Amino acid sequence: MVSSDVQLLKQSKTISDTELQQALSNGTWTPFNPVTVRSIISMFDRDNKGGVNFNEFAGVWKYITDWQNIFRTYDRDNSGFIDKNELKQALTGFGYRLSDQFYTTLIQKFDRQRKGQVAFDDFIQCCIVLQRLTDVFRRYDTDQDGWIQVSYEQYLSMVFNVV
């Protein structure tokens, strides 16, 4: 972000998800994932105005920078993408214990470019969704054994509250 962008943000008082999407780069010459941008905005938009003010933007920028550092750590071949093995290393490092088959599912779900790997913005979205689903699951896993019993409607509510 350049100083003219910062000045514009100070004048407009709020940066929208569209403006943030235009300011971000995922390293693939494609627009930053709009779902990821909306997810990030919603995390920092404390008064639900549909954007972030200058002070909230500082948190957004730090959040994105932190994710960028994590992404670079696990993008071992510096390809600008996270492949299945790199995703497994990253999520294992975050404490997840998932099957190889599920990592394939994650790649298929979050690989918008259909290359068998995920770009930076999609990696963030993958991690956000996984964390939100995990949080919801843990609310029902009262004995913390990794198993829950829910009705179909409870399950739908859990999923729809995340997506």
Side-chain angles (χ1 to χ4, degrees):
M1 178 162 276
V2 294
S3 62
S4 62
D5 292 334
V6 172
Q7 189 61 35
L8 183 63
L9 176 57
K10 286 182 178 180
Q11 291 170 357
S12 71
K13 303 288 191 242
T14 302
I15 186 169
S16 69
D17 55 348
T18 305
E19 292 166 325
L20 181 60
Q21 181 188 20
Q22 292 170 354
L24 296 174
S25 170
N26 62 11
T28 66
W29 301 102
T30 59
F32 211 85
N33 186 332
V35 177
T36 305
V37 174
R38 283 192 297 277
S39 295
I40 293 170
I41 289 279
S42 71
M43 284 184 234
F44 291 89
D45 180 12
R46 291 180 185 85
D47 48 7
N48 295 320
K49 62 191 166 306
V52 290
N53 64 31
F54 187 72
N55 291 331
E56 293 166 338
F57 179 75
V60 168
W61 198 253
K62 182 182 180 328
Y63 183 80
I64 292 168
T65 301
D66 289 348
W67 273 114
Q68 191 172 44
N69 291 332
I70 291 167
F71 183 85
R72 286 180 179 148
T73 298
Y74 291 103
D75 178 17
R76 304 237 192 256
D77 61 359
N78 295 315
S79 66
F81 292 90
I82 296 283
D83 65 23
K84 179 180 168 181
N85 289 329
E86 292 166 335
L87 182 62
K88 183 177 181 176
Q89 290 175 344
L91 295 180
T92 299
F94 300 161
Y96 292 98
R97 302 293 177 257
L98 306 167
S99 69
D100 280 347
Q101 181 180 353
F102 192 74
Y103 286 108
T104 299
T105 300
L106 287 173
I107 292 289
Q108 291 170 345
K109 171 70 178 163
F110 294 99
D111 174 15
R112 288 187 303 143
Q113 298 180 23
R114 302 293 171 232
K115 293 184 172 189
Q117 50 196 359
V118 292
F120 172 59
D121 51 344
D122 299 319
F123 174 71
I124 295 172
Q125 186 62 27
C126 174
C127 293
I128 289 171
V129 168
L130 191 57
Q131 182 60 52
R132 287 180 178 168
L133 288 170
T134 300
D135 290 345
V136 171
F137 183 90
R138 284 182 178 155
R139 280 188 236 138
Y140 288 88
D141 187 15
T142 55
D143 59 357
Q144 298 181 351
D145 67 353
W147 291 90
I148 62 172
Q149 185 170 355
V150 295
S151 70
Y152 179 62
E153 193 168 313
Q154 285 173 312
Y155 165 76
L156 290 175
S157 295
M158 290 167 57
V159 172
F160 286 140
N161 283 327
V162 172
V163 295

